[in-house]
Amino acid sequence: EKGTLMDAFQQDWLKFHPGSWPVGHLLRDTPNWNLTRFHLLPGNRAAARDHAELRGLIERYNKMATAVLGDGQPCWLVLLSSPNENAEHRKRRTRVERRWKLSPGWSFYSGTDTLSYTVVSGDVIWQQNRFNRLFLHVYQRRLWDVMWMNQATGAVFTPYEAGCEVSQPTPQALIDLISGYYGWLPQNGDGILNPAFGGARFGPG
């Protein structure tokens, strides 16, 4: 990246998370991150049983994102484009880009995935229930690697189909978050603490 002009998101990302890529599914394997996973459906299930449970999942996405990012806080909303995305994903991602005024910028090659990515990012304000459609797309596996990053702290929230992976700026802040939402950790020891904590696996049950 030497000698290239960095866009604003790239500057912020590298300030808080040097030596890493903004690829949601790779964060858990990146050294020195204060990161953990929460599973937001009962019984460690991968899918909601009914509409009421799906509503509960959306509510938990919102509650956890607010705890991580802060209500009313300026954030980056980040999506990725790559050559292997299918036409349906590309169309949906393009619609999201227009809705939230996201712009392409930073491009890089991930040796882990053996893929080239282009980051599409934009300024948003995190507010509860503002991004429910995005959460629904993630749950339905119609979008992936959607990420929010607090612009002041570098805290990251990235949802997956039935939960989320989150980071906090310090180990203590992450421990405090875990203490507050311990019941939402994956069951049977399937939780993660990033290698910054020695790669521990834990959880209730």
Side-chain angles (χ1 to χ4, degrees):
E1 304 291 345
K2 286 186 177 179
T4 61
L5 184 64
M6 292 192 291
D7 60 62
F9 168 73
Q10 183 180 358
Q11 291 180 40
D12 274 359
W13 180 270
L14 293 177
K15 176 176 67 176
F16 292 114
H17 309 297
S20 68
W21 304 120
V23 182
H25 66 270
L26 298 181
L27 297 183
R28 72 193 68 173
D29 299 317
T30 305
N32 302 315
W33 268 67
N34 305 310
L35 179 141
T36 196
R37 177 193 301 144
F38 292 93
H39 193 88
L40 303 181
L41 280 174
N44 244 31
R45 292 197 308 277
R49 287 177 171 170
D50 51 35
H51 289 297
E53 203 163 87
L54 179 56
R55 284 196 300 272
L57 173 63
I58 299 299
E59 290 173 2
R60 287 185 173 197
Y61 279 140
N62 276 282
K63 190 167 184 177
M64 183 58 65
T66 300
V68 172
L69 301 170
D71 195 33
Q73 294 303 304
C75 294
W76 292 107
L77 173 58
V78 180
L79 279 72
L80 297 174
S81 67
S82 65
N84 75 328
E85 64 182 339
N86 59 40
E88 182 182 359
H89 185 271
R90 186 177 299 109
K91 288 179 182 178
R92 185 165 289 107
R93 176 179 52 77
T94 300
R95 288 196 294 269
V96 173
E97 290 171 17
R98 287 198 299 265
R99 166 67 179 86
W100 296 105
K101 298 180 174 60
L102 311 183
S103 301
W106 186 14
S107 293
F108 58 87
Y109 175 79
S110 166
T112 303
D113 287 341
T114 62
L115 278 175
S116 297
Y117 289 103
T118 296
V119 178
V120 185
S121 63
D123 292 282
V124 298
I125 300 297
W126 170 258
Q127 291 175 324
Q128 290 202 60
N129 297 314
R130 191 179 184 197
F131 301 96
N132 286 352
R133 184 174 293 274
L134 282 181
F135 289 144
L136 188 59
H137 285 331
V138 170
Y139 169 73
Q140 295 169 334
R141 302 189 182 189
R142 294 179 175 179
L143 280 176
W144 49 83
D145 283 326
V146 180
M147 182 185 301
W148 286 260
M149 184 180 81
N150 181 294
Q151 294 181 4
T153 68
V156 168
F157 176 87
T158 182
Y160 63 88
E161 300 89 277
C164 58
E165 292 183 355
V166 304
S167 78
Q168 290 285 265
T170 66
Q172 186 59 54
L174 183 62
I175 290 169
D176 292 343
L177 185 71
I178 290 169
S179 298
Y181 295 92
Y182 190 77
W184 291 1
L185 294 171
Q187 295 177 358
N188 303 317
D190 290 333
I192 58 169
L193 277 174
N194 184 267
F197 289 85
R201 306 189 74 83
F202 65 100

